[in-house]
Amino acid sequence: MRYMVLLRAAQPATPPPADLMEAIAKLGQEATVAGALLDTAGLAPSASAARVRVAEGGLSVTDGPFAESKELISYALYDVRLKEEAVEWAARFMRLHRDLWEGWEGEAEVVKVLGPEDFAPPA
């Protein structure tokens, strides 16, 4: 099963510490070797984003920035057997931030990516 982990955080006042970036690279390598990590990347701030919305029969486009207190800042895509495995990878990533970047706050959302098996007719 595939799971998308979305990282949200307030725009930090300081750049990430070098030891955090090194630890993130090691964790990513470990997840890749384990066959769990499929893809990961940082995301641009919402100032460069757009929202396309359908409501009341109409379609609208709104350019960023958006006024949320937290921005989506990165994602990771995992292929694991159980949701708990994806949650554990996300927790390890978040622990690195807690332990290596004083004052940093954020959240990781773990969401199942639907696949063909989720739409197969019952046997």
Side-chain angles (χ1 to χ4, degrees), residues 1 24 40 42-44 46 48 51 53 73 75 87 95 101-102 107 110 114 123:
M1 291 182 284
I24 289 171
T40 185
L43 300 171
S46 71
S48 63
R51 287 188 178 146
R53 179 175 295 170
I73 61 172
Y75 75 90
V87 169
R95 277 193 291 276
W101 196 350
E102 186 176 335
E107 62 189 24
V110 179
L114 297 176

Side-chain angles (χ1 to χ4, degrees), residues 24-73:
I24 289 171
K26 286 180 182 177
L27 181 63
Q29 180 64 26
E30 182 182 341
T32 300
V33 168
L37 185 61
L38 300 177
D39 190 31
T40 185
L43 300 171
S46 71
S48 63
R51 287 188 178 146
V52 180
R53 179 175 295 170
V54 172
E56 299 177 5
L59 187 130
S60 64
V61 177
T62 305
D63 289 324
F66 305 113
E68 291 88 13
S69 62
K70 294 188 177 185
E71 293 267 355
L72 281 174
I73 61 172

